[in-house]
Amino acid sequence: MAHNIPTFGVITSVLTRFEGRFGQSEPEPNRGFVEISATDVFAPTVKMEFERATVNPNFIHFRFCYSNRYWSLPSPTSSSIVAVSDQKNEDTSQQTCTLFEPVFDAQTATYSIRFVHNGRFVRVTNGNRRVITDNLGPGGVDQFFRFNLTEWDTFIKLPKYITFRGHNNKFLKPFTRQGVVYHSFSSDESNDRETAYEVIEIGDGHVRIRPLALETDQVLRRNRDDWIGLSIPDRTRETLFWPVKVGGRIIALRSAGNDRICRSLTQGNMTDCLTAQATGLISQSRLTVSELVMGRRIYDVVYHMDNARIYGHRAVVTGSGRSTNSGTEEATQTISISFTDTSSYTFSNSNSLSTGVTTSVTAGFGSIVSMEVGIQISSEQTVSVEVGEEVSRSVTTETSYTTPVPPMSTVIVNYVATEGKCDIPFSYTQRDQDSVDGSFRFSNNNDGVYTGVNYFSFHFEQPQFRSLQETESD
């Protein structure tokens, strides 16, 4: 079994000069080539699903989630890896095979990746950061062939403007003592500039955090005594923090400076102040995040249908009916069947936390018509939802089936549908209204994914006939 391969994750090179994550080249004529390009781990083209093969659990299909495309080679003479196919191929004799084998090295805690079709290994190139397959050199697996596979759930994307509520139900705010800025859980105000903080993404999962109340470019910093103070961003790791998701809207912050978790501490003349001293997720380290948004609107939604995906289809019995002919002659009978047509949808983006902000979304809704036709987008509607939360809809209705029934028999009929899921990437405009001063902020984003679940291809199964004697024996 492949060593601890996550279901979703990102891949990076161990070489620091190849800073970035595996993604896809978007501009023509290089569109589809796998390369090390994205510097932001939350870029939509970075996230991958690592799907285990059916022929061998050590083999993996690498699929980019945003484009729904699998890794393979474009031709027998090419060594460049592309992600252009939306179908898996486990035929190892073909260069379009999508099977790769991650090989874990315990000494370096890194992976090399073997392309199953030709036995060559994945490596990065010096010039254009293109990802290719190549034979190993005399030295074996060197740094060009080594990669990190990082589980997606280790990354937490926080909203841009937030507050932190501590274990004492008070909010974090900066204060000054003897000319030094610290941060204490001492405010009762959840919606004020003095408790507002800005999250600054670094790109690798770490963040810097800036208190808005001080109107300065300075950010939170771990001091030598571990108290969290303030300084301008620098090249040290003391101003970097890693968000850890605990559950719901609760997170913890791990200081990159000492690898300790920030906590509230009362010590000497410091009361409920933030310090990087905890070694575990104790109650004093748990922070409830609230977003400083009183209203949000998503509009100008553009679906990228070329990258849409239909998956997870299965047969579902939506309703069943029966009728009995107690007579001595065949009789034509009509069976009424009540069934529930269930569907759901989710609008999501790269934010990892649901902060309770109700969003007005104006968009069409995707649904699967059939496996042959694909996905159909409805006319635009406006709904109020929480981004990332599933909304379900059910409609109960009736249908009927007419069939001849033999004498002294019962007929049973099932009404069956195919249930399927579809993912459709989309770009959009977002307008947020600040809850502190009521101002509006606008942003254009391309990290949206619409997920729809619906029934389609309704049909009656072949009816089952049972004699009354069989029915009574049951």
Side-chain angles (χ1 to χ4, degrees):
M1 184 75 63
H3 177 86
N4 296 333
I5 300 297
T7 303
F8 295 94
V10 299
I11 301 179
T12 56
S13 171
V14 300
L15 290 170
T16 56
R17 71 171 178 273
F18 290 107
E19 183 180 0
R21 285 92 199 159
F22 280 24
Q24 290 176 273
S25 177
E26 289 296 316
E28 298 291 357
N30 297 320
R31 184 178 177 87
F33 283 96
V34 178
E35 61 185 16
I36 294 182
S37 55
T39 57
D40 183 1
V41 72
F42 296 110
T45 58
V46 166
K47 183 180 178 182
M48 279 187 277
E49 182 173 3
F50 307 136
E51 302 181 25
R52 291 195 185 275
T54 57
V55 296
N56 187 327
N58 291 321
F59 298 162
I60 301 293
H61 303 276
F62 292 117
R63 182 183 67 84
F64 284 111
C65 295
Y66 187 81
S67 66
N68 184 34
R69 297 298 189 267
Y70 292 91
W71 287 18
S72 64
L73 290 183
S75 70
T77 59
S78 176
S79 62
S80 296
I81 297 176
V82 295
V84 296
S85 175
D86 61 0
Q87 299 294 324
K88 292 182 284 188
N89 181 359
E90 297 194 353
D91 186 345
T92 59
S93 67
Q94 300 178 1
Q95 111 277 337
T96 55
C97 169
T98 57
L99 292 178
F100 293 79
E101 182 182 15
V103 181
F104 184 71
D105 179 70
Q107 185 174 356
T108 60
T110 61
Y111 289 87
S112 56
I113 302 173
R114 185 178 72 89
F115 183 39
V116 177
H117 164 67
N118 58 19
R120 295 177 179 175
F121 282 77
V122 174
R123 63 160 289 176
V124 293
T125 59
N126 268 321
N128 55 14
R129 299 193 175 191
R130 188 74 56 78
V131 179
I132 66 172
T133 60
D134 198 2
N135 292 316
L136 296 177
V141 179
D142 62 26
Q143 297 300 296
F144 286 90
F145 293 88
R146 293 201 180 278
F147 306 97
N148 294 311
L149 275 64
T150 307
E151 184 168 358
W152 183 255
D153 286 344
T154 62
F155 301 108
I156 303 297
K157 184 174 176 63
L158 297 176
K160 183 69 171 175
Y161 300 101
I162 58 178
T163 61
F164 297 104
R165 179 162 56 87
H167 77 291
N168 61 355
N169 287 323
K170 293 186 180 293
F171 293 88
L172 190 68
K173 57 173 286 191
F175 73 97
T176 302
R177 171 167 291 153
Q178 296 179 344
V180 179
V181 176
Y182 299 98
H183 305 265
S184 68
F185 294 95
S186 57
S187 177
D188 294 315
E189 181 55 64
S190 63
N191 194 45
D192 189 87
R193 195 166 181 81
E194 72 171 5
T195 58
Y197 288 83
E198 178 186 8
V199 176
I200 303 169
E201 299 285 348
I202 302 305
D204 65 351
H206 286 94
V207 297
R208 291 190 173 100
I209 301 173
R210 183 174 75 91
L212 297 183
L214 301 182
E215 298 184 351
T216 174
D217 291 334
Q218 293 183 319
V219 296
L220 270 62
R221 184 187 196 279
R222 184 188 75 92
N223 295 330
R224 291 182 179 179
D225 55 7
D226 289 335
W227 293 109
I228 302 301
L230 204 68
S231 78
I232 59 172
D234 54 34
R235 293 186 178 183
T236 72
R237 299 179 62 81
E238 302 299 347
T239 61
L240 299 179
F241 299 86
W242 187 278
V244 178
K245 189 171 183 179
V246 178
R249 292 190 288 138
I250 300 176
I251 69 162
L253 289 174
R254 184 185 299 276
S255 169
N258 65 357
D259 203 33
R260 296 289 181 92
I261 296 173
C262 297
R263 58 160 294 176
S264 172
L265 179 66
T266 297
Q267 188 178 81
N269 61 354
M270 305 286 281
T271 303
D272 290 324
C273 292
L274 194 64
T275 179
Q277 291 187 2
T279 57
L281 298 174
I282 59 177
S283 60
Q284 293 88 345
S285 69
R286 300 181 180 219
L287 310 173
T288 301
V289 174
S290 294
E291 193 169 2
L292 292 169
V293 173
M294 64 185 296
R296 170 168 292 152
R297 183 185 171 205
I298 288 177
Y299 58 100
D300 289 345
V301 170
V302 177
Y303 286 115
H304 305 296
M305 299 303 296
D306 288 347
N307 295 330
R309 177 190 183 204
I310 297 175
Y311 62 103
H313 42 280
R314 65 187 182 99
V316 177
V317 177
T318 62
S320 185
R322 65 172 58 203
S323 182
T324 299
N325 178 10
S326 301
T328 58
E329 296 182 358
E330 181 180 90
T332 298
Q333 297 188 349
T334 298
I335 307 161
S336 294
I337 299 175
S338 176
F339 69 96
T340 301
D341 186 1
T342 301
S343 62
S344 66
Y345 65 87
T346 307
F347 291 96
S348 60
N349 56 22
S350 56
N351 276 356
S352 304
L353 296 181
S354 295
T355 54
V357 176
T358 299
T359 303
S360 173
V361 179
T362 301
F365 292 80
S367 60
I368 306 169
V369 177
S370 67
M371 296 303 294
E372 296 74 26
V373 175
I375 302 168
Q376 176 179 286
I377 304 295
S378 70
S379 58
E380 281 193 348
Q381 304 174 51
T382 299
V383 294
S384 292
V385 298
E386 184 175 348
V387 172
E389 294 295 312
E390 183 180 65
V391 179
S392 298
R393 299 179 289 191
S394 296
V395 178
T396 301
T397 186
E398 284 192 354
T399 187
S400 61
Y401 184 83
T402 301
T403 184
V405 182
M408 303 297 291
S409 297
T410 294
V411 61
I412 302 171
V413 180
N414 291 328
Y415 195 47
V416 179
T418 300
E419 180 188 68
K421 298 181 180 180
C422 64
D423 288 345
I424 315 173
F426 66 89
S427 53
Y428 59 98
T429 299
Q430 179 171 308
R431 188 197 72 178
D432 288 347
Q433 186 172 16
D434 191 290
S435 61
V436 176
D437 60 14
S439 62
F440 289 100
R441 296 188 295 268
F442 294 84
S443 60
N444 295 315
N445 309 283
N446 63 353
D447 62 343
V449 176
Y450 170 91
T451 299
V453 183
N454 69 279
Y455 293 159
F456 59 96
S457 299
F458 287 89
H459 63 278
F460 293 100
E461 282 188 333
Q462 190 71 24
Q464 305 171 38
F465 298 98
R466 306 175 68 177
S467 69
L468 291 183
Q469 286 184 333
E470 290 179 315
T471 305
E472 290 172 358
S473 66
D474 291 344

